[in-house]
Structures are given as C-alpha cells and as structure tokens.
C-alpha cells in the first residue's frame, strides 16, 4: 500500500512539474517573440542546472528540444536518462581533462559554447577526430565585462585569434558563434552586449565570413529580452523556466 501511495504521489508531482515547466517555457517563448519582433529566429537554450532530469523531461514533453548544462557531471548523469533527439549545449567552464568524459557520455552534444583557449579547442578537436564524429559546434567565450572571476578570452585580438585557430587548425570543430556570460546578478550592461556584437564583426571580417554565419549567445533569465533587442541569436534561460536553483545539489 505504501509503495502504491508513493507511486501515486510521484505521478502527481511529475504532472504538476510538467504543467509548471510547460507553462513557464511558453511564457519565455512568447517574450522572445515579442523581443525579436519576429524579425529573426532566436534559439532558446533551456538550462536545467541543479534540476532533476524530470524537469528537463517536462520541458521536452512541452515540445522543447534544445537544452543546456553548466556542469560536466550533471550533463553526463542526465543525458542518458533523456530522449536522444535532444540537442545539448554545454555552457559552463570546461576543463581539458573533462573533454573525454563529456563527449564520450553525450553523443548528442551539439555545441560547446564555452571554448576559451587554444589548448581546449585542440583537445576537443582531437577527440572528435579520434571518435570519427561529425564536427562539433563550438563558440568562443568572450569576457566582455572584464571581471576577473569570469572565464573567456578578452575582446579584440585574443578573441579573433582563438576564432581563427578554431577555424583554421581544428578540423574536428565548427566555429558557430561567440558567447558571453552576464554580470554576477545575471544581468549585463548594454555595453557587454555591444562588445560581443563588435567581436563578431571583427571575427567575421578576419575569417571572410558573413556576420549572420556566427551566432551570438548572450542573455540569461534576467536580461535575455534586452540581449535579443541588441542582436542575440541564442539565449540561455534557466530559472525563468525551471524555478529557483538549489546550489546545494550542484
């Protein structure tokens, strides 16, 4: 009897979670449509950091397919439990010694948004070639705020140089864009977004690409609408979809 009651309770919790997450993700999508004015496609990366796989499943059941994680262990644990057609983005700091664990456990990893050095790019490219996988999408992470606590290359030649290295020297990778992380309160000043736009312009000019060929991943729960207004093509939204995070579980 106790087991039956527990299953019934779990089913009710799951149903409640699915309703809440489904409604929240639709609200975010509606706001994205308004912010972009329907002028361009904006990819919503639903970041389920510190949340159980059931929360991501609820968003999936609501029709969403693009998900992100900040921690290697979390994505390694969650990905096998979730549908294989999810398009995973890794958006957190990635150490070189975690590359094999990440790529080995998540075959449907679509993009690593946080490449911040040539050695990391080389390691990712080498593993992709070793495993004979399709080229992995990567973004150059740029520290547009200048905060010493943030990872990412500096704007200017450091950004352009890393993008050039990926484009020319990493056959296992495909440069798909640039990414920046907001301020400590999960918001960015307009100049942070403007800086990333300028970085994209410089990278495109250096590599002979169209600016539209390179994504701009900027904006999170606190500032994604402002980021979209300034040109973001990808936004990484977590708490506005899944609720406040519990970092004791991170």
């Amino acid at each position: 009897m106790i087991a039956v009651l527990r299953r019934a309770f779990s089913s009710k919790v799951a149903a409640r979670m699915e309703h809440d997450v489904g409604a929240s993700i639709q609200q975010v999508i509606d706001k994205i449509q308004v912010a972009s004015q329907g002028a361009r496609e904006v990819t919503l990366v639903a970041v389920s950091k510190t949340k159980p796989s059931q929360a991501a499943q609820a968003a999936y059941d609501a029709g969403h397919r693009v998900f992100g994680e900040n921690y290697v262990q979390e994505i390694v644990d969650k990905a096998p439990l979730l549908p294989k057609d999810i398009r995973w983005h890794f958006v957190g700091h990635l150490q070189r010694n975690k590359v094999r664990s990440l790529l080995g456990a998540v075959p449907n990893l679509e993009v690593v948004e946080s490449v911040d050095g040539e050695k990391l790019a080389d390691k990712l490219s080498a593993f992709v070639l070793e495993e004979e996988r399709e080229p992995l999408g990567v973004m150059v992470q740029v520290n547009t705020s200048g905060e010493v606590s943030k990872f990412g290359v500096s704007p200017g030649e450091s950004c352009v140089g890393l993008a050039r290295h990926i484009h020319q020297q990493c056959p296992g990778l495909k440069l798909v864009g640039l990414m920046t992380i907001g301020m400590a309160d999960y918001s960015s000043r307009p100049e942070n977004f403007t800086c990333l736009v300028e970085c994209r312009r410089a990278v495109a000019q250096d590599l002979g690409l169209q600016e539209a060929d390179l994504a701009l991943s900027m904006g999170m729960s606190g500032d994604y609408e402002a980021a979209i207004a300034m040109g973001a093509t990808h936004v990484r939204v977590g708490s506005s979809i899944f609720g406040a995070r519990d970092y004791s579980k991170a």
Side-chain angles (χ1 to χ4, degrees):
M1 176 62 73
I2 292 176
V4 171
L5 289 173
R6 284 176 176 170
R7 284 197 297 271
F9 178 75
S10 297
S11 297
K12 288 180 180 179
V13 170
R16 176 65 176 172
M17 180 182 294
E18 181 175 1
H19 170 75
D20 289 344
V21 170
S24 296
I25 202 166
Q26 187 56 55
Q27 289 175 0
V28 172
I29 290 171
D30 290 344
K31 290 180 179 180
I32 288 173
Q33 288 290 330
V34 172
S36 66
Q37 299 180 337
R40 67 181 184 281
E41 181 179 349
V42 177
T43 298
L44 169 60
V45 181
V47 182
S48 58
K49 179 171 66 173
T50 79
K51 298 298 181 179
S53 60
Q54 293 93 330
Q57 182 68 54
Y60 179 92
D61 292 343
H64 200 66
R65 294 294 180 269
V66 185
F67 291 82
E69 285 296 340
N70 287 70
Y71 304 122
V72 171
Q73 193 58 54
E74 270 205 89
I75 193 171
V76 165
D77 290 343
K78 287 180 186 176
L81 304 176
L82 292 163
K84 303 307 179 187
D85 62 334
I86 283 179
R87 296 157 51 198
W88 284 105
H89 287 221
F90 187 76
V91 300
H93 178 60
L94 179 59
Q95 297 174 305
R96 295 197 301 276
N97 63 357
K98 299 291 186 180
V99 165
R100 184 171 293 273
S101 297
L102 174 63
L103 271 63
V106 191
N108 49 331
L109 182 67
E110 183 176 71
V111 180
V112 173
E113 295 197 14
S114 49
V115 175
D116 58 0
E118 292 184 2
K119 291 182 178 180
L120 175 58
D122 290 340
K123 186 84 171 182
L124 287 165
S125 181
F127 185 85
V128 170
L129 295 176
E130 176 186 327
E131 296 296 309
E132 299 182 343
R133 294 169 56 149
E134 291 295 316
L136 174 69
V138 297
M139 296 185 186
V140 170
Q141 181 177 345
V142 185
N143 185 348
T144 58
S145 65
E147 295 172 278
V148 295
S149 61
K150 292 286 193 301
F151 293 102
V153 296
S154 299
E157 181 52 38
S158 294
C159 171
V160 173
L162 178 54
R164 186 188 307 127
H165 178 82
I166 293 168
H167 188 67
Q168 297 178 351
Q169 304 296 326
C170 297
L173 306 180
K174 180 180 180 181
L175 179 67
V176 297
L178 309 178
M179 181 270 267
T180 194
I181 292 177
M183 306 293 281
D185 61 352
Y186 296 98
S187 64
S188 286
R189 302 186 182 98
E191 54 264 34
N192 299 145
F193 298 144
T194 302
C195 180
L196 198 68
V197 172
E198 291 299 324
C199 287
R200 179 175 68 171
R201 183 173 295 116
V203 168
Q205 182 176 1
D206 185 81
L207 300 181
L209 302 174
Q210 298 295 317
E211 289 182 40
D213 293 334
L214 298 170
L216 289 176
S217 178
M218 55 189 195
M220 295 185 283
S221 287
D223 54 17
Y224 68 90
E225 291 168 275
I228 292 168
M230 300 190 71
T233 63
H234 290 61
V235 292
R236 309 178 306 276
V237 180
S239 58
S240 291
I241 296 171
F242 299 107
R245 291 173 174 134
D246 181 358
Y247 285 96
S248 68
K249 298 178 181 179

